[in-house]
Amino acid sequence: MSLQAKYQQIIEEASAAGATNMGVNEENGVLFISAAVPNAAVHDKLFEIYNEIDPNMATGDLVLNLEIANEVAGATCIVTTEETALNVRSGPSTNDAVIGYAEKDLQVTLLEKTNEQWWKIRTATGIEGYSYSQYLTAQ
Amino acid sequence: MRPRFRLALVVMILSFATLGTGCKNKDAKLKAAIEEKLKANPDMANCTVEVKDGVATISGECKDEMCKTKCCEEAKAAGAKDCVNNCTVKEAPKQVEIADNSALEKALADALKSYPTVKGSVSPEGKIILTGTISAKDNMQLVQALSKIGGKGFERKGLTVK
């Protein structure tokens, strides 16, 4: 089975869900799928499918690079930490000091996607700083 | 010795002498002509030529195979009857390919800060190598994060998902 056939369901689901700019390339035994998807829900769904096809994604033969289209400067994001509040730091790394917190389930404003891992945000109380993007979901 | 015979002998000797000198002269002229052509091309400037009886022998160091072939072409164009090519070709310095995985390594290290039970590195080909242990839930988060940072795939045989 070719890699594209193995992961065909992801490609089809992405299309159906409104993915744009889709690229599918195979190189040296690894499939690369890149696309822009409308929101985090579609993003999560596609990774669920990936996990079903390849349990725990253990084979490592797919790089599913999805950009979430509604994650743009100005967007409202919800803090989606497990339990605790999200640290807001003075700079985009864990070496930078914590200057405040963004409470779980509350809203913040996305100011800038500084890089993949770190976004600059403004909390409801006006604190501006950097938080780990994994715990922010654009609405 | 009869005078006519002596005259003939002298003429013959002189002719041979002239011929000999002429041959030597021709060789010298041809050598000079070929040398000029070689010097005109910087790739061949380290080559030397000897000419004997109109046959050129070229030695020395040529830049590459094409240059080596051209040396004899030039010699023949200058008038050599034939050409012996003893040129050696300089071996091209090996291009060292340095893949810059440093950006990928940094992004990987950043992503792994949240997963202290996982160790990661980048292979020379740009694959992300993961070892250690991780929960299924964290594994999902980690794969999502690592799929955005580049990388040519994953080597995760050493990573146990609980």
Side-chain angles (χ1 to χ4, degrees):
Chain A
M1 184 193 276
S2 78
L3 280 181
Q4 196 165 326
K6 178 178 175 184
Y7 293 113
Q8 185 59 25
Q9 194 189 346
I10 297 178
I11 297 167
E12 284 169 4
E13 185 69 39
S15 276
T20 57
N21 289 345
M22 188 143 51
V24 180
N25 304 297
E26 193 174 324
E27 192 186 310
N28 290 340
V30 177
L31 187 67
F32 297 82
I33 300 176
S34 59
V37 296
N39 53 49
V42 175
H43 168 279
D44 290 350
K45 176 91 195 320
L46 294 176
F47 270 96
E48 266 170 44
I49 296 174
Y50 178 12
N51 200 20
E52 279 166 24
I53 296 171
D54 184 19
N56 291 328
M57 298 157 292
T59 311
D61 57 359
L62 171 63
V63 178
L64 182 56
N65 183 2
L66 303 175
E67 194 187 304
I68 300 178
N70 70 347
E71 286 176 359
V72 290
T76 299
C77 296
I78 302 269
V79 177
T80 49
T81 44
E82 300 260 320
E83 293 167 18
T84 58
L86 178 61
N87 288 338
V88 182
R89 295 179 179 267
S90 59
S93 91
T94 51
N95 293 328
D96 291 295
V98 177
I99 57 176
Y101 302 93
E103 294 296 328
K104 172 169 149 49
D105 298 331
L106 294 193
Q107 287 181 354
V108 298
T109 305
L110 172 57
L111 299 179
E112 175 196 82
K113 284 163 73 172
T114 309
N115 57 48
E116 285 300 342
Q117 284 90 37
W118 294 93
W119 293 355
K120 190 173 183 192
I121 60 165
R122 187 189 315 119
T123 68
T125 56
I127 300 171
E128 281 186 20
Y130 299 83
S131 293
Y132 206 57
S133 66
Q134 184 186 319
Y135 304 113
L136 295 167
T137 304
Q139 296 300 288
Chain B
M1 199 182 279
R2 285 179 40 201
R4 264 211 195 133
F5 182 70
R6 196 161 60 165
L7 182 60
L9 196 59
V10 168
V11 170
M12 262 171 63
I13 291 171
L14 275 174
S15 312
F16 279 126
T18 321
L19 259 174
T21 319
C23 263
K24 286 213 177 79
N25 274 343
K26 268 195 184 158
D27 282 351
K29 273 192 182 156
L30 183 53
K31 176 175 151 130
I34 298 174
E35 269 172 354
E36 210 180 288
K37 277 192 178 269
L38 294 181
K39 291 233 184 314
N41 188 332
D43 291 347
M44 303 174 191
N46 287 329
C47 293
T48 56
V49 58
E50 289 304 323
V51 178
K52 184 136 200 280
D53 296 333
V55 175
T57 303
I58 311 201
S59 341
E61 202 179 61
C62 245
K63 186 185 145 205
D64 53 25
E65 276 301 334
M66 249 185 72
C67 160
K68 182 173 167 178
T69 313
K70 211 152 187 272
C71 282
C72 265
E73 278 175 23
E74 298 281 28
K76 290 202 183 142
K81 281 195 291 196
D82 206 344
C83 179
V84 176
N85 197 332
N86 288 338
C87 280
T88 51
V89 175
K90 208 163 135 183
E91 253 205 47
K94 280 204 159 71
Q95 299 266 27
V96 179
E97 272 193 33
I98 303 170
D100 187 5
N101 287 326
S102 51
L104 182 56
E105 278 164 2
K106 181 172 189 304
L108 174 61
D110 275 349
L112 287 180
K113 277 178 182 161
S114 306
Y115 309 98
T117 55
V118 179
K119 281 205 169 24
S121 60
V122 178
S123 78
E125 303 79 39
K127 283 201 172 188
I128 296 175
I129 305 171
L130 299 171
T131 55
T133 58
I134 193 170
S135 70
K137 194 145 145 247
D138 283 351
N139 179 51
M140 174 57 91
Q141 292 294 339
L142 180 59
V143 170
Q144 289 179 8
L146 294 183
S147 298
K148 291 184 158 132
I149 65 175
K152 300 278 187 181
F154 303 93
E155 293 277 357
R156 3 179 333 151
K157 293 195 190 82
L159 181 64
T160 309
V161 181
K162 297 193 170 168

